[in-house]
Amino acid sequence: MDDKKIYILLTDTGTAFTKTIKRYTKAPYNHSSLSLDQELIQLYSFGRKNPNNPFNGGFVQEDVLKGTYKKFPHTTCAVCEMTITTRQYEKIRRMIRLFQKKDQKTIYNLLGVLGVAFKEPFEPHGSYFCSQFVAEILHRAGVRLWDKLPALVEPDDFRRSDQTTLIYEGLLTDYEPVLMRKKAK
């Protein structure tokens, strides 16, 4: 079977919440999403369900041309590529479908974000923060990037992993596949 590519999108929208996180982490990006395609069309994470309400969070299928990213057009990003097996890719797709089915039963794990700061995992059922979600999906699919619990993974861990390759860094709106999608509309 052929290997497959997946993508980790790391972003910084510049919101007050992300600025607070950056003060602690000192990392350039504070949100992570998992994409099954280089164009970032099948893009999943835990974050704002409504771009105007930072307090209503949970599992989201993000759209780089709408929603939060449209509201924050100066979002900076890094796109990391990973090669995985076809079997791992299919497991990831199945897990995402499960999250889509349970969408209304998931919430954003804000206390888990604080747990990372104190190196103490906080993992209530159905509750994730962005990097915890991406790490959990990869872990369940058999992709091992670190010897670390998903509830302690930070977005910058993906960028620093020796199993990911940085393929783009800059404004999200300047990422070639995003530009092509904007032109096609």
Side-chain angles (χ1 to χ4, degrees), residues 7-128:
Y7 301 85
I8 310 294
L9 173 66
L10 306 174
T11 56
D12 176 15
T13 57
T15 64
F17 182 60
T18 61
K19 286 177 184 174
T20 301
I21 292 172
K22 278 179 84 167
R23 263 188 240 119
Y24 166 75
T25 65
K26 310 284 190 264
Y29 308 105
N30 41 54
H31 180 69
S32 53
S33 310
L34 174 65
S35 183
L36 301 180
D37 58 86
Q38 190 172 1
E39 294 77 20
L40 308 178
I41 295 169
Q42 299 175 78
L43 185 64
Y44 307 95
S45 189
F46 265 67
R48 293 178 183 214
K49 289 191 173 269
N50 177 334
N52 298 314
N53 183 355
F55 302 106
N56 180 17
F59 175 76
V60 289
Q61 179 167 357
E62 298 174 317
D63 188 328
V64 294
L65 301 179
K66 298 178 184 172
T68 300
Y69 294 122
K70 184 174 183 179
K71 183 175 176 74
F72 301 101
H74 300 293
T75 297
T76 56
C77 76
V79 180
C80 300
E81 180 180 75
M82 280 184 68
T83 302
I84 61 173
T85 68
T86 300
R87 182 179 174 145
Q88 290 169 327
Y89 183 86
E90 291 306 320
K91 283 182 177 180
I92 289 169
R93 287 182 47 160
R94 281 194 303 273
M95 283 183 280
I96 288 172
R97 282 195 295 272
L98 288 173
F99 272 94
Q100 289 170 322
K101 287 180 184 175
K102 295 192 270 182
D103 173 36
Q104 298 303 314
K105 296 178 183 174
T106 63
I107 60 172
Y108 188 83
N109 186 5
L110 185 57
L111 291 176
V113 173
L114 296 174
V116 172
F118 295 107
K119 307 287 188 244
E120 286 293 328
F122 184 72
E123 307 173 87
H125 183 74
S127 181
Y128 298 86

